């Protein structure tokens, strides 16, 4: 008792059994039979040895263990025997599944190949016979690993840094520059401590290896970071872009084309044999620069300390996240996955919603359609997710009334913060209906007053009554919601788009509801800054990705009239277009422009980047690609008010908070000039609007004020809920039927 495996083996070495020593135990057919008869296994061995004398052969022939639970260890060398026992013990303690047959075949392989040390054995890369040998050797490596120094290795094992990882290695073996290796290792250590995904940590290795490949093209192979500097980083951005172009050509060539081998020489080779070069696809191009920028930023202080502060990447050096090519949907004027208005209205019809099972499936789908929240956010809504707040509303006569408004309170896992979304009472009715459904279906989850027993109970708990879901705290799986929608789409008889054509039902999936929410409100005239708050986006550029100017949604008269009244940035009239040109431009408007404050941008690089790739840093009122018309009047006016308020604040702070100097005066003068320019554009748009006929003006004003079935008047104070105070109300489209209230 108390002896280790090594101590026990040193004092009690197991004997090397022979056939004669274990006849009755391992060859049961030998006992009671003629001494010239062998079991099947030994009979084959005896034949293979040339049929020698059975008596003498049996005294020296090795035992063959045919009994399932018996494993031969006596023929192993003492070192490898101890390694097998230790690895076997570790595997059991880790909860590994043990197959006696595989253990026996692994030990037999060691005996047959006369292995003296498992760590030095030349094991095959695959094969069922040696599976456990590879597992045991890996366990030995991790058993002797030092977690404190693991990140300093050229091949970093992730499950040594953090046991939560099942495996995976970050390979820096071909990173020759010590400073790049150090930064990469420190980044991996920091990510492992924070629990980042293994895929992102592997990207650190890829980014460091690509950067090291580029450094080899520089003098001294870039071993001194100070010599690389900011100029070298700019060169790397261009160099990696060339590798991305090489990748496009490489993938377009047939396999037998010899040019592929020439291009492959310019790409980073894979460390795994037979896998060819690593390609810089569009998503990987973004990932490599993005993760390298994070790595350099993490070591910014260290680089500055060694005189290499210029070694860094800027945000504009990193390309935008590539989006999938969805030209057809964009031609219809929708943002990627947004459903057409006609399809959305069909889905929200009562007879179609009734095809969903009562309870959670029906309520979940309807609430997701109404609120446009992310699927994770809807699945994890708390049971009591609605709060009522009193909001001051300015009436038409100037009086201020205080009215209660409902808000959806939910957690945004993507950005780790809570958010409030103003609701309409019809949305609250869906939530109330779901709460009553749970009280009736699972009364054991509530007290006598109908309150949840668990403060962590959610609104859409799974019906699986597991130990983790004793009180309704576990949500449905993501696949369950997709299954609900799939069955629902099969049950629907008819689903057509705006043109009356059959609609592809595979495009109805949970995240499409969020795009649809943004697109319908943009169509109804909600200003972008208000839509940004409703979508809970931190940057307006993110909101721009979620919608396009939708030409099927425009009123025909508005499209025809507005096409004749386009202005450029200086207020110059764009030439009148013919009918065919007008139609072509309206179709192109879905893919050839992106919305910007007060108008549209037609610069193609910026359009392809969904508003993220402006070459002049969003100086819209100085850009020749900026256009506007009278349909942008509400946003132009709001933009003018915001700039005037900003200018007033600067003027009030001039000489007190702000130091009187040329820079401060230049900032104020810039705002004054922008206000003058916005006033000129607004005046021209108002003149054009006033020159319309009565019928045209009525049509345009009806569209501009969004008087359709989507509109309900909600004060801006409710939309911005304590974030800022505005003087006048705006519109937010929430109701699906009925008039504005």
């Amino acid at each position: 008792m108390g002896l280790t495996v090594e101590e026990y083996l040193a004092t009690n070495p197991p004997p090397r059994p022979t056939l004669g020593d274990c006849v009755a135990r391992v060859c049961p057919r030998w006992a009671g039979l003629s001494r010239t008869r062998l079991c099947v296994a030994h009979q084959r061995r005896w034949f293979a040895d040339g049929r020698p004398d059975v008596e003498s052969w049996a005294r020296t022939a090795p035992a063959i263990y045919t009994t399932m639970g018996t494993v031969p260890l006596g023929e192993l060398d003492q070192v490898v025997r101890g390694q097998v026992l230790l690895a076997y013990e570790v595997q059991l303690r880790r909860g590994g599944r043990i197959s006696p047959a595989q253990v026996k075949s692994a030990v037999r392989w060691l005996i047959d190949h006369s292995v003296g040390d498992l760590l030095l054995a030349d094991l095959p890369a695959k094969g069922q016979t040696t599976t456990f040998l590879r597992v045991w050797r890996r366990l030995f490596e991790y058993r002797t690993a030092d977690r404190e120094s693991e990140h300093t290795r050229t091949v970093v094992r992730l499950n040594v840094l953090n046991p939560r990882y099942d495996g995976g290695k970050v390979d820096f073996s071909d990173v020759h520059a010590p400073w790049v290796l150090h930064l990469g290792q420190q980044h991996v250590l920091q990510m492992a401590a924070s629990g980042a995904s293994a895929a992102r940590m592997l990207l650190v290795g890829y980014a460091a290896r690509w950067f090291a490949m580029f450094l080899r093209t520089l003098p001294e192979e870039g071993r001194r970071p100070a010599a690389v500097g900011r100029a070298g980083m700019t060169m790397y951005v261009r160099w990696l872009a060339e590798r991305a172009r090489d990748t496009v050509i490489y993938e377009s060539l047939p396999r037998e084309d010899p040019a592929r081998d020439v291009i492959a020489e310019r790409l980073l080779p894979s460390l795994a044999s037979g896998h060819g070069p690593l390609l810089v696809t569009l998503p990987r191009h973004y990932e490599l620069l993005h993760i390298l920028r994070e790595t350099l930023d993490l070591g910014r202080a260290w680089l500055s300390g060694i005189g290499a502060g210029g070694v860094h990447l800027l945000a504009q050096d990193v390309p935008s996240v590539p989006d999938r090519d969805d030209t057809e949907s964009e031609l219809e004027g929708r943002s990627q996955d947004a459903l057409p208005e006609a399809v959305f209205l069909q889905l929200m019809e009562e007879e179609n919603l009734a095809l969903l099972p009562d309870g959670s499936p029906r309520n979940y789908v309807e609430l997701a359609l109404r609120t446009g929240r992310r699927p994770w956010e809807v699945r994890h809504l708390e049971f009591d997710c609605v709060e009522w707040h009193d909001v001051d509303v300015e009436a038409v006569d100037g009086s201020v009334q205080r009215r209660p408004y409902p808000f959806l309170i939910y957690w945004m896992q993507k950005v780790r913060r809570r958010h409030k979304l103003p609701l309409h009472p019809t949305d609250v009715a869906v939530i109330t209906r779901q709460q009553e459904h749970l009280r009736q279906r699972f009364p054991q989850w509530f007290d006598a007053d109908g309150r949840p027993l668990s403060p962590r109970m959610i609104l859409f708990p799974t019906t699986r009554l597991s130990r983790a879901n004793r009180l309704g705290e576990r949500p449905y799986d993501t696949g369950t919601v997709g299954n609900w929608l799939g069955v629902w789409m099969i049950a629907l008889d008819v689903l057509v788009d705006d043109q009356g054509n059959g609609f592809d039902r595979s495009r109805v999936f949970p995240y499409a509801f969020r795009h649809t929410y943004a697109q319908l409100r943009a169509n109804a005239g909600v200003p972008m800054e208000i839509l940004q708050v409703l979508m809970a986006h931190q940057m307006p550029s993110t909101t721009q990705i979620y919608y396009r100017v939708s030409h099927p949604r425009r009123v025909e008269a508005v499209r025809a009239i507005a096409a004749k009244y386009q202005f450029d940035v200086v207020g110059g009239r764009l030439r009148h277009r013919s009918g065919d040109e007008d139609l072509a431009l309206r179709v192109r408007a879905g893919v050839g422009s992106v919305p910007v404050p007060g108008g549209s941008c037609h610069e193609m690089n910026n359009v392809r980047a969904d508003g993220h790739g402006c070459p002049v840093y969003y100086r819209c009122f100085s850009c020749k690609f900026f256009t506007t018309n009278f349909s942008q009047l509400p946003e132009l006016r709001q933009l003018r008010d915001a700039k005037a308020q900003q200018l007033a604040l600067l003027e009030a702070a001039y000489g007190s908070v702000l130091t009187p100097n040329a820079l401060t005066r230049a900032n104020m003068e810039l705002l004054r000039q922008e206000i003058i320019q916005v006033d000129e554009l607004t005046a021209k748009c108002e003149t054009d609007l006033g020159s319309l006929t009565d019928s045209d003006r009525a049509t345009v004003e009806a569209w501009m004020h969004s008087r359709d079935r989507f509109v309900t008047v909600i004060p801006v104070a409710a939309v911005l809920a304590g974030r800022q105070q505005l003087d006048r109300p705006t519109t937010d489209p929430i109701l699906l039927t009925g008039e504005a209230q």
Side-chain angles (χ1 to χ4, degrees), residues 112-260:
D112 294 342
H113 291 78
S114 302
V115 176
D117 190 340
L118 178 59
L119 300 180
L120 303 177
D122 186 16
L123 299 178
K126 57 183 179 179
Q128 187 175 8
T129 302
T130 54
T131 296
F132 274 26
L133 297 180
R134 290 188 293 272
V135 172
W136 292 342
R137 183 155 69 180
R138 194 160 55 246
L139 291 176
F140 262 103
E141 293 175 356
Y142 295 142
R143 188 172 181 268
T144 59
D146 181 13
R147 183 179 298 180
E148 299 298 327
S149 61
E150 179 64 25
H151 70 282
T152 61
R153 291 164 44 95
T154 55
V155 180
V156 183
R157 296 163 294 187
L158 299 184
N159 53 354
V160 175
L161 289 180
N162 192 334
R164 73 179 291 270
Y165 300 107
D166 294 332
K169 299 177 180 179
V170 181
D171 200 326
F172 296 107
S173 56
D174 57 351
V175 178
H176 66 287
W179 64 278
V180 178
L181 178 61
H182 170 74
L183 291 175
Q185 291 170 340
Q186 292 297 320
H187 195 187
V188 169
L189 178 63
Q190 185 263 348
M191 294 177 75
S194 63
S197 67
R200 282 186 55 80
M201 298 170 70
L202 294 178
L203 278 174
V204 177
Y206 289 134
R209 292 179 58 214
W210 275 106
F211 187 49
M213 184 180 182
F214 161 74
L215 291 179
R216 289 190 177 94
T217 65
L218 301 180
E220 300 181 2
E221 295 188 338
R223 296 181 184 274
R224 293 189 302 110
V228 177
R230 174 59 186 165
M233 301 307 300
T234 305
M235 291 171 58
Y236 174 66
V237 172
R238 293 196 296 265
W239 181 88
L240 192 62
E242 292 175 0
R243 303 291 79 78
R245 288 189 287 270
D246 287 340
T247 297
V248 174
I249 300 173
Y250 182 89
E251 292 182 317
S252 64
L253 294 175
R255 291 185 178 273
E256 60 276 7
D257 196 323
R260 283 170 60 95

Side-chain angles (χ1 to χ4, degrees), residues 46 50 83 190 363 490 535 538 700 738:
W46 182 67
Q83 291 173 336
Q190 185 263 348
N363 298 332
I490 296 175
M535 296 294 289
Q538 294 180 329
V700 171

Side-chain angles (χ1 to χ4, degrees), residues 644-688:
Q645 183 179 6
Q646 184 179 1
L647 177 60
L649 292 175
L650 290 179
E651 290 176 341
Y654 186 79
S656 56
V657 178
L658 298 178
T659 304
N661 56 29
L663 180 60
T664 306
R665 291 190 293 272
N667 287 331
M668 292 192 295
E669 182 61 25
L670 175 62
L671 282 173
R672 293 191 188 98
Q673 293 300 323
E674 287 184 339
I675 291 173
I676 293 174
Q677 191 163 354
V678 172
D679 288 340
E680 293 177 354
L681 293 176
T682 302
K684 289 180 178 292
C685 291
E686 290 174 343
T687 301
D688 287 340

